[in-house]
Amino acid sequence: MPVPKSEFDQLPPCDFYTPEELFEDDQMYTVYEIARLLQGLEADADIDRQTEDILLDWAIPWVMVNANDLVVAEPRSDDEPGYYGLKPAATTADGEGNDEDE
């Protein structure tokens, strides 16, 4: 049920990190690590499963909204999730490098 805005002390803007603010250029992250980073936690922070599930509710849409700025890597094994990272600046939409020296 909707709640009146007057019931809240503060109403900051709904502002999320950009991929460039969240990720290191040379690193790849799982959606679980992204969920932690979006909350200002360390990527390897120890959190309980229930909290992790809630954080994933924020991380999955964030990945989808920022997909044009990301690259994805398949899991290295069956028991591991996929990885996401920053798309290199020289990569075009078709995934080919844009190296002018070629």
PDB file of all heavy atoms in Angstrom, residues 50-89:
ATOM      1  N   GLN A  50      19.938 -14.186   2.918  1.00  0.00           N
ATOM      2  CA  GLN A  50      18.725 -13.377   2.772  1.00  0.00           C
ATOM      3  C   GLN A  50      19.073 -11.959   2.313  1.00  0.00           C
ATOM      4  O   GLN A  50      18.432 -11.425   1.418  1.00  0.00           O
ATOM      5  CB  GLN A  50      17.958 -13.332   4.089  1.00  0.00           C
ATOM      6  CG  GLN A  50      16.641 -12.606   3.989  1.00  0.00           C
ATOM      7  CD  GLN A  50      15.853 -12.647   5.293  1.00  0.00           C
ATOM      8  OE1 GLN A  50      16.305 -13.162   6.297  1.00  0.00           O
ATOM      9  NE2 GLN A  50      14.668 -12.077   5.260  1.00  0.00           N
ATOM     10  N   THR A  51      20.108 -11.376   2.885  1.00  0.00           N
ATOM     11  CA  THR A  51      20.548 -10.043   2.466  1.00  0.00           C
ATOM     12  C   THR A  51      21.052 -10.078   1.035  1.00  0.00           C
ATOM     13  O   THR A  51      20.741  -9.198   0.235  1.00  0.00           O
ATOM     14  CB  THR A  51      21.652  -9.517   3.411  1.00  0.00           C
ATOM     15  OG1 THR A  51      21.133  -9.469   4.747  1.00  0.00           O
ATOM     16  CG2 THR A  51      22.134  -8.140   2.995  1.00  0.00           C
ATOM     17  N   GLU A  52      21.805 -11.124   0.696  1.00  0.00           N
ATOM     18  CA  GLU A  52      22.319 -11.248  -0.662  1.00  0.00           C
ATOM     19  C   GLU A  52      21.177 -11.318  -1.676  1.00  0.00           C
ATOM     20  O   GLU A  52      21.236 -10.683  -2.730  1.00  0.00           O
ATOM     21  CB  GLU A  52      23.202 -12.482  -0.783  1.00  0.00           C
ATOM     22  CG  GLU A  52      23.864 -12.607  -2.139  1.00  0.00           C
ATOM     23  CD  GLU A  52      24.918 -13.678  -2.132  1.00  0.00           C
ATOM     24  OE1 GLU A  52      24.559 -14.861  -1.952  1.00  0.00           O
ATOM     25  OE2 GLU A  52      26.101 -13.330  -2.309  1.00  0.00           O
ATOM     26  N   ASP A  53      20.132 -12.055  -1.361  1.00  0.00           N
ATOM     27  CA  ASP A  53      18.977 -12.148  -2.258  1.00  0.00           C
ATOM     28  C   ASP A  53      18.331 -10.779  -2.476  1.00  0.00           C
ATOM     29  O   ASP A  53      17.927 -10.446  -3.594  1.00  0.00           O
ATOM     30  CB  ASP A  53      17.942 -13.127  -1.706  1.00  0.00           C
ATOM     31  CG  ASP A  53      18.400 -14.576  -1.793  1.00  0.00           C
ATOM     32  OD1 ASP A  53      19.374 -14.860  -2.527  1.00  0.00           O
ATOM     33  OD2 ASP A  53      17.776 -15.417  -1.114  1.00  0.00           O
ATOM     34  N   ILE A  54      18.246  -9.987  -1.424  1.00  0.00           N
ATOM     35  CA  ILE A  54      17.666  -8.643  -1.538  1.00  0.00           C
ATOM     36  C   ILE A  54      18.561  -7.755  -2.396  1.00  0.00           C
ATOM     37  O   ILE A  54      18.082  -7.020  -3.262  1.00  0.00           O
ATOM     38  CB  ILE A  54      17.438  -8.024  -0.145  1.00  0.00           C
ATOM     39  CG1 ILE A  54      16.345  -8.805   0.587  1.00  0.00           C
ATOM     40  CG2 ILE A  54      17.084  -6.546  -0.253  1.00  0.00           C
ATOM     41  CD1 ILE A  54      16.225  -8.474   2.061  1.00  0.00           C
ATOM     42  N   LEU A  55      19.867  -7.837  -2.180  1.00  0.00           N
ATOM     43  CA  LEU A  55      20.801  -7.017  -2.956  1.00  0.00           C
ATOM     44  C   LEU A  55      20.765  -7.392  -4.434  1.00  0.00           C
ATOM     45  O   LEU A  55      20.931  -6.529  -5.304  1.00  0.00           O
ATOM     46  CB  LEU A  55      22.222  -7.143  -2.405  1.00  0.00           C
ATOM     47  CG  LEU A  55      22.437  -6.650  -0.977  1.00  0.00           C
ATOM     48  CD1 LEU A  55      23.915  -6.760  -0.607  1.00  0.00           C
ATOM     49  CD2 LEU A  55      21.924  -5.245  -0.768  1.00  0.00           C
ATOM     50  N   LEU A  56      20.539  -8.666  -4.738  1.00  0.00           N
ATOM     51  CA  LEU A  56      20.441  -9.092  -6.137  1.00  0.00           C
ATOM     52  C   LEU A  56      19.254  -8.439  -6.838  1.00  0.00           C
ATOM     53  O   LEU A  56      19.293  -8.210  -8.047  1.00  0.00           O
ATOM     54  CB  LEU A  56      20.335 -10.611  -6.235  1.00  0.00           C
ATOM     55  CG  LEU A  56      21.620 -11.383  -5.981  1.00  0.00           C
ATOM     56  CD1 LEU A  56      21.338 -12.873  -5.965  1.00  0.00           C
ATOM     57  CD2 LEU A  56      22.681 -11.038  -7.004  1.00  0.00           C
ATOM     58  N   ASP A  57      18.209  -8.136  -6.076  1.00  0.00           N
ATOM     59  CA  ASP A  57      17.051  -7.437  -6.654  1.00  0.00           C
ATOM     60  C   ASP A  57      17.432  -6.079  -7.218  1.00  0.00           C
ATOM     61  O   ASP A  57      16.761  -5.557  -8.103  1.00  0.00           O
ATOM     62  CB  ASP A  57      15.944  -7.265  -5.605  1.00  0.00           C
ATOM     63  CG  ASP A  57      15.235  -8.559  -5.276  1.00  0.00           C
ATOM     64  OD1 ASP A  57      15.358  -9.532  -6.048  1.00  0.00           O
ATOM     65  OD2 ASP A  57      14.550  -8.601  -4.233  1.00  0.00           O
ATOM     66  N   TRP A  58      18.510  -5.486  -6.718  1.00  0.00           N
ATOM     67  CA  TRP A  58      19.012  -4.205  -7.244  1.00  0.00           C
ATOM     68  C   TRP A  58      20.035  -4.428  -8.341  1.00  0.00           C
ATOM     69  O   TRP A  58      20.085  -3.694  -9.329  1.00  0.00           O
ATOM     70  CB  TRP A  58      19.674  -3.393  -6.119  1.00  0.00           C
ATOM     71  CG  TRP A  58      18.733  -2.885  -5.107  1.00  0.00           C
ATOM     72  CD1 TRP A  58      18.304  -3.535  -3.975  1.00  0.00           C
ATOM     73  CD2 TRP A  58      18.061  -1.631  -5.117  1.00  0.00           C
ATOM     74  NE1 TRP A  58      17.422  -2.749  -3.297  1.00  0.00           N
ATOM     75  CE2 TRP A  58      17.262  -1.570  -3.967  1.00  0.00           C
ATOM     76  CE3 TRP A  58      18.068  -0.549  -5.994  1.00  0.00           C
ATOM     77  CZ2 TRP A  58      16.477  -0.473  -3.663  1.00  0.00           C
ATOM     78  CZ3 TRP A  58      17.277   0.554  -5.680  1.00  0.00           C
ATOM     79  CH2 TRP A  58      16.503   0.586  -4.536  1.00  0.00           C
ATOM     80  N   ALA A  59      20.857  -5.441  -8.175  1.00  0.00           N
ATOM     81  CA  ALA A  59      21.982  -5.648  -9.087  1.00  0.00           C
ATOM     82  C   ALA A  59      21.561  -6.123 -10.469  1.00  0.00           C
ATOM     83  O   ALA A  59      22.109  -5.668 -11.476  1.00  0.00           O
ATOM     84  CB  ALA A  59      22.976  -6.641  -8.474  1.00  0.00           C
ATOM     85  N   ILE A  60      20.614  -7.028 -10.541  1.00  0.00           N
ATOM     86  CA  ILE A  60      20.225  -7.585 -11.834  1.00  0.00           C
ATOM     87  C   ILE A  60      19.656  -6.510 -12.761  1.00  0.00           C
ATOM     88  O   ILE A  60      20.099  -6.387 -13.914  1.00  0.00           O
ATOM     89  CB  ILE A  60      19.284  -8.793 -11.660  1.00  0.00           C
ATOM     90  CG1 ILE A  60      20.070  -9.937 -11.000  1.00  0.00           C
ATOM     91  CG2 ILE A  60      18.678  -9.218 -12.982  1.00  0.00           C
ATOM     92  CD1 ILE A  60      19.224 -11.085 -10.502  1.00  0.00           C
ATOM     93  N   PRO A  61      18.715  -5.673 -12.310  1.00  0.00           N
ATOM     94  CA  PRO A  61      18.243  -4.592 -13.197  1.00  0.00           C
ATOM     95  C   PRO A  61      19.367  -3.602 -13.552  1.00  0.00           C
ATOM     96  O   PRO A  61      19.412  -3.089 -14.666  1.00  0.00           O
ATOM     97  CB  PRO A  61      17.136  -3.905 -12.398  1.00  0.00           C
ATOM     98  CG  PRO A  61      16.736  -4.877 -11.360  1.00  0.00           C
ATOM     99  CD  PRO A  61      17.937  -5.736 -11.080  1.00  0.00           C
ATOM    100  N   TRP A  62      20.287  -3.362 -12.613  1.00  0.00           N
ATOM    101  CA  TRP A  62      21.399  -2.441 -12.877  1.00  0.00           C
ATOM    102  C   TRP A  62      22.239  -2.974 -14.037  1.00  0.00           C
ATOM    103  O   TRP A  62      22.623  -2.218 -14.934  1.00  0.00           O
ATOM    104  CB  TRP A  62      22.252  -2.254 -11.623  1.00  0.00           C
ATOM    105  CG  TRP A  62      23.363  -1.280 -11.792  1.00  0.00           C
ATOM    106  CD1 TRP A  62      23.329   0.070 -11.572  1.00  0.00           C
ATOM    107  CD2 TRP A  62      24.697  -1.573 -12.243  1.00  0.00           C
ATOM    108  NE1 TRP A  62      24.550   0.626 -11.860  1.00  0.00           N
ATOM    109  CE2 TRP A  62      25.404  -0.359 -12.276  1.00  0.00           C
ATOM    110  CE3 TRP A  62      25.349  -2.740 -12.633  1.00  0.00           C
ATOM    111  CZ2 TRP A  62      26.732  -0.274 -12.670  1.00  0.00           C
ATOM    112  CZ3 TRP A  62      26.671  -2.661 -13.026  1.00  0.00           C
ATOM    113  CH2 TRP A  62      27.349  -1.434 -13.035  1.00  0.00           C
ATOM    114  N   VAL A  63      22.523  -4.278 -14.031  1.00  0.00           N
ATOM    115  CA  VAL A  63      23.290  -4.887 -15.118  1.00  0.00           C
ATOM    116  C   VAL A  63      22.530  -4.727 -16.435  1.00  0.00           C
ATOM    117  O   VAL A  63      23.113  -4.370 -17.464  1.00  0.00           O
ATOM    118  CB  VAL A  63      23.586  -6.382 -14.829  1.00  0.00           C
ATOM    119  CG1 VAL A  63      24.106  -7.091 -16.062  1.00  0.00           C
ATOM    120  CG2 VAL A  63      24.581  -6.502 -13.679  1.00  0.00           C
ATOM    121  N   MET A  64      21.241  -4.958 -16.414  1.00  0.00           N
ATOM    122  CA  MET A  64      20.448  -4.859 -17.643  1.00  0.00           C
ATOM    123  C   MET A  64      20.420  -3.434 -18.182  1.00  0.00           C
ATOM    124  O   MET A  64      20.584  -3.218 -19.386  1.00  0.00           O
ATOM    125  CB  MET A  64      19.034  -5.361 -17.379  1.00  0.00           C
ATOM    126  CG  MET A  64      18.993  -6.861 -17.085  1.00  0.00           C
ATOM    127  SD  MET A  64      17.383  -7.452 -16.549  1.00  0.00           S
ATOM    128  CE  MET A  64      16.437  -7.183 -18.034  1.00  0.00           C
ATOM    129  N   VAL A  65      20.246  -2.458 -17.311  1.00  0.00           N
ATOM    130  CA  VAL A  65      20.200  -1.055 -17.732  1.00  0.00           C
ATOM    131  C   VAL A  65      21.548  -0.605 -18.294  1.00  0.00           C
ATOM    132  O   VAL A  65      21.615   0.190 -19.223  1.00  0.00           O
ATOM    133  CB  VAL A  65      19.770  -0.151 -16.547  1.00  0.00           C
ATOM    134  CG1 VAL A  65      20.037   1.317 -16.822  1.00  0.00           C
ATOM    135  CG2 VAL A  65      18.299  -0.372 -16.220  1.00  0.00           C
ATOM    136  N   ASN A  66      22.637  -1.136 -17.736  1.00  0.00           N
ATOM    137  CA  ASN A  66      23.983  -0.715 -18.142  1.00  0.00           C
ATOM    138  C   ASN A  66      24.651  -1.683 -19.115  1.00  0.00           C
ATOM    139  O   ASN A  66      25.850  -1.589 -19.364  1.00  0.00           O
ATOM    140  CB  ASN A  66      24.853  -0.544 -16.892  1.00  0.00           C
ATOM    141  CG  ASN A  66      24.416   0.638 -16.076  1.00  0.00           C
ATOM    142  OD1 ASN A  66      24.622   1.784 -16.469  1.00  0.00           O
ATOM    143  ND2 ASN A  66      23.774   0.381 -14.947  1.00  0.00           N
ATOM    144  N   ALA A  67      23.886  -2.583 -19.713  1.00  0.00           N
ATOM    145  CA  ALA A  67      24.442  -3.620 -20.582  1.00  0.00           C
ATOM    146  C   ALA A  67      25.284  -3.073 -21.726  1.00  0.00           C
ATOM    147  O   ALA A  67      26.278  -3.686 -22.118  1.00  0.00           O
ATOM    148  CB  ALA A  67      23.317  -4.498 -21.130  1.00  0.00           C
ATOM    149  N   ASN A  68      24.934  -1.922 -22.264  1.00  0.00           N
ATOM    150  CA  ASN A  68      25.698  -1.357 -23.387  1.00  0.00           C
ATOM    151  C   ASN A  68      27.110  -0.952 -23.001  1.00  0.00           C
ATOM    152  O   ASN A  68      27.964  -0.789 -23.868  1.00  0.00           O
ATOM    153  CB  ASN A  68      24.967  -0.161 -23.981  1.00  0.00           C
ATOM    154  CG  ASN A  68      23.739  -0.563 -24.748  1.00  0.00           C
ATOM    155  OD1 ASN A  68      23.613  -1.684 -25.212  1.00  0.00           O
ATOM    156  ND2 ASN A  68      22.811   0.373 -24.880  1.00  0.00           N
ATOM    157  N   ASP A  69      27.362  -0.781 -21.707  1.00  0.00           N
ATOM    158  CA  ASP A  69      28.681  -0.377 -21.229  1.00  0.00           C
ATOM    159  C   ASP A  69      29.483  -1.539 -20.662  1.00  0.00           C
ATOM    160  O   ASP A  69      30.575  -1.332 -20.123  1.00  0.00           O
ATOM    161  CB  ASP A  69      28.537   0.707 -20.155  1.00  0.00           C
ATOM    162  CG  ASP A  69      27.881   1.965 -20.681  1.00  0.00           C
ATOM    163  OD1 ASP A  69      28.140   2.326 -21.850  1.00  0.00           O
ATOM    164  OD2 ASP A  69      27.093   2.582 -19.946  1.00  0.00           O
ATOM    165  N   LEU A  70      28.932  -2.751 -20.761  1.00  0.00           N
ATOM    166  CA  LEU A  70      29.554  -3.914 -20.126  1.00  0.00           C
ATOM    167  C   LEU A  70      29.935  -4.985 -21.131  1.00  0.00           C
ATOM    168  O   LEU A  70      29.385  -5.062 -22.217  1.00  0.00           O
ATOM    169  CB  LEU A  70      28.582  -4.524 -19.112  1.00  0.00           C
ATOM    170  CG  LEU A  70      28.061  -3.616 -18.008  1.00  0.00           C
ATOM    171  CD1 LEU A  70      27.028  -4.352 -17.158  1.00  0.00           C
ATOM    172  CD2 LEU A  70      29.187  -3.090 -17.146  1.00  0.00           C
ATOM    173  N   VAL A  71      30.897  -5.815 -20.724  1.00  0.00           N
ATOM    174  CA  VAL A  71      31.219  -7.051 -21.426  1.00  0.00           C
ATOM    175  C   VAL A  71      30.876  -8.190 -20.471  1.00  0.00           C
ATOM    176  O   VAL A  71      30.792  -7.996 -19.257  1.00  0.00           O
ATOM    177  CB  VAL A  71      32.709  -7.134 -21.839  1.00  0.00           C
ATOM    178  CG1 VAL A  71      33.030  -6.086 -22.895  1.00  0.00           C
ATOM    179  CG2 VAL A  71      33.624  -6.995 -20.637  1.00  0.00           C
ATOM    180  N   VAL A  72      30.659  -9.373 -21.022  1.00  0.00           N
ATOM    181  CA  VAL A  72      30.303 -10.529 -20.200  1.00  0.00           C
ATOM    182  C   VAL A  72      31.234 -11.680 -20.537  1.00  0.00           C
ATOM    183  O   VAL A  72      31.635 -11.847 -21.690  1.00  0.00           O
ATOM    184  CB  VAL A  72      28.816 -10.915 -20.399  1.00  0.00           C
ATOM    185  CG1 VAL A  72      28.539 -11.321 -21.814  1.00  0.00           C
ATOM    186  CG2 VAL A  72      28.382 -11.974 -19.418  1.00  0.00           C
ATOM    187  N   ALA A  73      31.597 -12.438 -19.513  1.00  0.00           N
ATOM    188  CA  ALA A  73      32.430 -13.629 -19.699  1.00  0.00           C
ATOM    189  C   ALA A  73      31.666 -14.826 -19.164  1.00  0.00           C
ATOM    190  O   ALA A  73      31.059 -14.766 -18.094  1.00  0.00           O
ATOM    191  CB  ALA A  73      33.755 -13.476 -18.957  1.00  0.00           C
ATOM    192  N   GLU A  74      31.688 -15.899 -19.929  1.00  0.00           N
ATOM    193  CA  GLU A  74      31.035 -17.135 -19.512  1.00  0.00           C
ATOM    194  C   GLU A  74      31.731 -17.669 -18.256  1.00  0.00           C
ATOM    195  O   GLU A  74      32.925 -17.438 -18.046  1.00  0.00           O
ATOM    196  CB  GLU A  74      31.136 -18.172 -20.633  1.00  0.00           C
ATOM    197  CG  GLU A  74      30.346 -17.796 -21.868  1.00  0.00           C
ATOM    198  CD  GLU A  74      28.848 -17.792 -21.630  1.00  0.00           C
ATOM    199  OE1 GLU A  74      28.350 -18.651 -20.873  1.00  0.00           O
ATOM    200  OE2 GLU A  74      28.176 -16.921 -22.198  1.00  0.00           O
ATOM    201  N   PRO A  75      30.993 -18.413 -17.449  1.00  0.00           N
ATOM    202  CA  PRO A  75      31.625 -19.043 -16.280  1.00  0.00           C
ATOM    203  C   PRO A  75      32.781 -19.938 -16.705  1.00  0.00           C
ATOM    204  O   PRO A  75      32.734 -20.562 -17.759  1.00  0.00           O
ATOM    205  CB  PRO A  75      30.496 -19.881 -15.674  1.00  0.00           C
ATOM    206  CG  PRO A  75      29.240 -19.291 -16.213  1.00  0.00           C
ATOM    207  CD  PRO A  75      29.581 -18.724 -17.556  1.00  0.00           C
ATOM    208  N   ARG A  76      33.811 -19.991 -15.887  1.00  0.00           N
ATOM    209  CA  ARG A  76      34.960 -20.844 -16.183  1.00  0.00           C
ATOM    210  C   ARG A  76      34.683 -22.300 -15.849  1.00  0.00           C
ATOM    211  O   ARG A  76      35.363 -23.190 -16.332  1.00  0.00           O
ATOM    212  CB  ARG A  76      36.182 -20.351 -15.414  1.00  0.00           C
ATOM    213  CG  ARG A  76      36.597 -18.951 -15.846  1.00  0.00           C
ATOM    214  CD  ARG A  76      37.697 -18.418 -14.989  1.00  0.00           C
ATOM    215  NE  ARG A  76      37.165 -18.205 -13.636  1.00  0.00           N
ATOM    216  CZ  ARG A  76      37.843 -17.679 -12.634  1.00  0.00           C
ATOM    217  NH1 ARG A  76      39.087 -17.327 -12.815  1.00  0.00           N
ATOM    218  NH2 ARG A  76      37.298 -17.508 -11.454  1.00  0.00           N
ATOM    219  N   SER A  77      33.668 -22.535 -15.009  1.00  0.00           N
ATOM    220  CA  SER A  77      33.272 -23.899 -14.658  1.00  0.00           C
ATOM    221  C   SER A  77      31.768 -23.907 -14.384  1.00  0.00           C
ATOM    222  O   SER A  77      31.141 -22.865 -14.260  1.00  0.00           O
ATOM    223  CB  SER A  77      34.040 -24.380 -13.421  1.00  0.00           C
ATOM    224  OG  SER A  77      33.673 -23.612 -12.291  1.00  0.00           O
ATOM    225  N   ASP A  78      31.192 -25.117 -14.288  1.00  0.00           N
ATOM    226  CA  ASP A  78      29.751 -25.254 -14.094  1.00  0.00           C
ATOM    227  C   ASP A  78      29.267 -24.734 -12.748  1.00  0.00           C
ATOM    228  O   ASP A  78      28.095 -24.422 -12.596  1.00  0.00           O
ATOM    229  CB  ASP A  78      29.331 -26.717 -14.235  1.00  0.00           C
ATOM    230  CG  ASP A  78      29.450 -27.203 -15.666  1.00  0.00           C
ATOM    231  OD1 ASP A  78      29.501 -26.359 -16.589  1.00  0.00           O
ATOM    232  OD2 ASP A  78      29.498 -28.437 -15.857  1.00  0.00           O
ATOM    233  N   ASP A  79      30.143 -24.643 -11.760  1.00  0.00           N
ATOM    234  CA  ASP A  79      29.727 -24.213 -10.427  1.00  0.00           C
ATOM    235  C   ASP A  79      30.041 -22.733 -10.167  1.00  0.00           C
ATOM    236  O   ASP A  79      30.042 -22.292  -9.025  1.00  0.00           O
ATOM    237  CB  ASP A  79      30.373 -25.090  -9.358  1.00  0.00           C
ATOM    238  CG  ASP A  79      31.889 -25.003  -9.363  1.00  0.00           C
ATOM    239  OD1 ASP A  79      32.467 -24.533 -10.363  1.00  0.00           O
ATOM    240  OD2 ASP A  79      32.499 -25.428  -8.357  1.00  0.00           O
ATOM    241  N   GLU A  80      30.253 -21.964 -11.209  1.00  0.00           N
ATOM    242  CA  GLU A  80      30.629 -20.558 -11.076  1.00  0.00           C
ATOM    243  C   GLU A  80      29.682 -19.698 -11.919  1.00  0.00           C
ATOM    244  O   GLU A  80      29.256 -20.117 -12.984  1.00  0.00           O
ATOM    245  CB  GLU A  80      32.077 -20.434 -11.549  1.00  0.00           C
ATOM    246  CG  GLU A  80      32.592 -19.067 -11.762  1.00  0.00           C
ATOM    247  CD  GLU A  80      34.066 -19.073 -12.127  1.00  0.00           C
ATOM    248  OE1 GLU A  80      34.892 -19.146 -11.208  1.00  0.00           O
ATOM    249  OE2 GLU A  80      34.370 -19.000 -13.324  1.00  0.00           O
ATOM    250  N   PRO A  81      29.354 -18.479 -11.435  1.00  0.00           N
ATOM    251  CA  PRO A  81      28.500 -17.580 -12.233  1.00  0.00           C
ATOM    252  C   PRO A  81      29.299 -16.906 -13.343  1.00  0.00           C
ATOM    253  O   PRO A  81      30.528 -17.002 -13.387  1.00  0.00           O
ATOM    254  CB  PRO A  81      28.023 -16.557 -11.210  1.00  0.00           C
ATOM    255  CG  PRO A  81      29.121 -16.511 -10.194  1.00  0.00           C
ATOM    256  CD  PRO A  81      29.677 -17.911 -10.133  1.00  0.00           C
ATOM    257  N   GLY A  82      28.601 -16.213 -14.221  1.00  0.00           N
ATOM    258  CA  GLY A  82      29.259 -15.419 -15.245  1.00  0.00           C
ATOM    259  C   GLY A  82      29.879 -14.164 -14.639  1.00  0.00           C
ATOM    260  O   GLY A  82      29.652 -13.840 -13.470  1.00  0.00           O
ATOM    261  N   TYR A  83      30.645 -13.472 -15.435  1.00  0.00           N
ATOM    262  CA  TYR A  83      31.338 -12.269 -14.980  1.00  0.00           C
ATOM    263  C   TYR A  83      31.009 -11.095 -15.888  1.00  0.00           C
ATOM    264  O   TYR A  83      30.789 -11.267 -17.086  1.00  0.00           O
ATOM    265  CB  TYR A  83      32.856 -12.494 -14.990  1.00  0.00           C
ATOM    266  CG  TYR A  83      33.323 -13.389 -13.877  1.00  0.00           C
ATOM    267  CD1 TYR A  83      33.284 -14.768 -14.000  1.00  0.00           C
ATOM    268  CD2 TYR A  83      33.787 -12.849 -12.690  1.00  0.00           C
ATOM    269  CE1 TYR A  83      33.699 -15.592 -12.974  1.00  0.00           C
ATOM    270  CE2 TYR A  83      34.212 -13.666 -11.654  1.00  0.00           C
ATOM    271  CZ  TYR A  83      34.165 -15.033 -11.801  1.00  0.00           C
ATOM    272  OH  TYR A  83      34.576 -15.834 -10.776  1.00  0.00           O
ATOM    273  N   TYR A  84      31.021  -9.903 -15.305  1.00  0.00           N
ATOM    274  CA  TYR A  84      30.751  -8.664 -16.033  1.00  0.00           C
ATOM    275  C   TYR A  84      31.889  -7.691 -15.762  1.00  0.00           C
ATOM    276  O   TYR A  84      32.462  -7.665 -14.679  1.00  0.00           O
ATOM    277  CB  TYR A  84      29.441  -8.030 -15.554  1.00  0.00           C
ATOM    278  CG  TYR A  84      28.259  -8.931 -15.722  1.00  0.00           C
ATOM    279  CD1 TYR A  84      27.903  -9.840 -14.731  1.00  0.00           C
ATOM    280  CD2 TYR A  84      27.497  -8.897 -16.883  1.00  0.00           C
ATOM    281  CE1 TYR A  84      26.820 -10.682 -14.891  1.00  0.00           C
ATOM    282  CE2 TYR A  84      26.415  -9.740 -17.053  1.00  0.00           C
ATOM    283  CZ  TYR A  84      26.081 -10.630 -16.045  1.00  0.00           C
ATOM    284  OH  TYR A  84      25.009 -11.467 -16.213  1.00  0.00           O
ATOM    285  N   GLY A  85      32.196  -6.886 -16.776  1.00  0.00           N
ATOM    286  CA  GLY A  85      33.229  -5.872 -16.624  1.00  0.00           C
ATOM    287  C   GLY A  85      32.964  -4.717 -17.565  1.00  0.00           C
ATOM    288  O   GLY A  85      32.017  -4.742 -18.364  1.00  0.00           O
ATOM    289  N   LEU A  86      33.808  -3.704 -17.474  1.00  0.00           N
ATOM    290  CA  LEU A  86      33.672  -2.534 -18.341  1.00  0.00           C
ATOM    291  C   LEU A  86      34.025  -2.884 -19.773  1.00  0.00           C
ATOM    292  O   LEU A  86      35.018  -3.566 -20.029  1.00  0.00           O
ATOM    293  CB  LEU A  86      34.603  -1.417 -17.881  1.00  0.00           C
ATOM    294  CG  LEU A  86      34.222  -0.687 -16.612  1.00  0.00           C
ATOM    295  CD1 LEU A  86      35.316   0.325 -16.255  1.00  0.00           C
ATOM    296  CD2 LEU A  86      32.889   0.000 -16.760  1.00  0.00           C
ATOM    297  N   LYS A  87      33.228  -2.408 -20.706  1.00  0.00           N
ATOM    298  CA  LYS A  87      33.535  -2.568 -22.123  1.00  0.00           C
ATOM    299  C   LYS A  87      34.711  -1.642 -22.443  1.00  0.00           C
ATOM    300  O   LYS A  87      34.684  -0.467 -22.083  1.00  0.00           O
ATOM    301  CB  LYS A  87      32.324  -2.174 -22.975  1.00  0.00           C
ATOM    302  CG  LYS A  87      32.544  -2.358 -24.464  1.00  0.00           C
ATOM    303  CD  LYS A  87      31.342  -1.910 -25.258  1.00  0.00           C
ATOM    304  CE  LYS A  87      30.197  -2.889 -25.069  1.00  0.00           C
ATOM    305  NZ  LYS A  87      29.026  -2.535 -25.902  1.00  0.00           N
ATOM    306  N   PRO A  88      35.742  -2.159 -23.089  1.00  0.00           N
ATOM    307  CA  PRO A  88      36.867  -1.290 -23.459  1.00  0.00           C
ATOM    308  C   PRO A  88      36.381  -0.143 -24.341  1.00  0.00           C
ATOM    309  O   PRO A  88      35.506  -0.330 -25.186  1.00  0.00           O
ATOM    310  CB  PRO A  88      37.806  -2.212 -24.234  1.00  0.00           C
ATOM    311  CG  PRO A  88      37.435  -3.592 -23.785  1.00  0.00           C
ATOM    312  CD  PRO A  88      35.962  -3.545 -23.492  1.00  0.00           C
ATOM    313  N   ALA A  89      36.944   1.020 -24.159  1.00  0.00           N
ATOM    314  CA  ALA A  89      36.521   2.207 -24.903  1.00  0.00           C
ATOM    315  C   ALA A  89      36.660   2.012 -26.408  1.00  0.00           C
ATOM    316  O   ALA A  89      35.889   2.563 -27.173  1.00  0.00           O
ATOM    317  CB  ALA A  89      37.333   3.412 -24.454  1.00  0.00           C
TER     318      ALA A  89
END
